[in-house]
Amino acid sequence: MPELPDVEIARRVIEERGLGRRIASVEDSDTWVSRPHGPGEIAQALTGARLTAAHRHGKTMWIETDTGPVVGLHLGMTGGIRVDEDPDPRGWDRFALEFEDGGRLALRDMRRLGRAVLDPDLSRLGPDAAEVGRHEFRERVGRGESPIKARVMDQNVIAGVGNLMADEILWRARVSPRAPAGELTDDRLDELRRATRAVIRLGIREGHAGVGELNPHRIKGGTCPRCGAALEHDRVGGRTTFWCPREQG
DNA sequence: ACCTATGTTGATAC
DNA sequence: GGTATCAACATAGG
């Protein structure tokens, strides 16, 4: 689920329902999700602190506190943020801040590919996909020999685009996912950026990343919602990819 | 039973 | 350095 729009929604939830609340205790015993921290380490840093701000860059979120420590949160593949809900009966709450008012903020994540860490390292993330400028997009995305799809999903290049959004973006811009990134013209790159921004805005408005016209047809036997051609599917950049061979050939 | 699939990321090898 | 592959995790489905 989580791509940039999902994470932005989660960030807003934290902002609206978490800020100002004081942490009484922290559930940080899942040391896989909280690696490299040991059990109790995050709790020690955060207990007594009050949440003061919630930020996002790409798919990474972080929460600031009035005493200094920063909590980084990543939703991984199946993670989500839950505020003031009962603990998950299946044990999928991998990390939680428990507030002195009795409420809690949980990272619920079946597959445990999410992360909760102190002072997250954001240095290797490219510019946020929702904010990146035209020039920078051309420079960063339009280079290299790898397929353009791999390029736009590379978080070091631009941050926030995942597999589903990448297919939607490429389909909208009528660019083949396999096109070598460095061979795209500036015009094509500008169209890609335009589609990226549109898909992100749509996702945020609708409340999740799995939106768009292509997405419902992203199944075996699916057809292009524009021209009706049978969609192709294969692995590109290591990920399952659907595209229209007629329009994105 | 065994193999595949799945929205992410990172380490590792060429 | 850039690129590709695999592993980490848990579950569902053929």
Side-chain angles (χ1 to χ4, degrees), chain A residues 83-171:
Chain A
V83 178
D84 298 334
E85 288 190 21
D86 291 337
D88 187 272
R90 299 157 298 192
W92 291 352
D93 288 351
R94 311 300 185 180
F95 176 85
L97 305 176
E98 287 140 356
F99 301 119
E100 64 179 6
D101 60 23
R104 61 200 291 280
L105 187 160
L107 171 63
R108 187 165 301 177
D109 181 11
M110 177 184 76
R111 281 180 68 179
R112 297 170 78 210
L113 294 171
R115 295 288 295 273
V117 298
L118 290 172
D119 302 318
D121 176 19
L122 308 170
S123 64
R124 299 203 312 264
L125 292 176
D128 189 85
E131 312 279 332
V132 60
R134 187 173 58 178
H135 178 72
E136 202 174 14
F137 188 95
R138 288 178 179 179
E139 292 285 311
R140 300 181 70 93
V141 176
R143 68 194 307 141
E145 295 171 15
S146 54
I148 183 62
K149 175 166 178 182
R151 199 77 191 150
V152 298
M153 283 199 306
D154 185 339
Q155 304 300 300
N156 307 316
V157 175
I158 54 168
V161 178
N163 195 36
L164 289 183
M165 269 181 42
D167 278 4
E168 179 76 23
I169 289 164
L170 291 162
W171 177 78

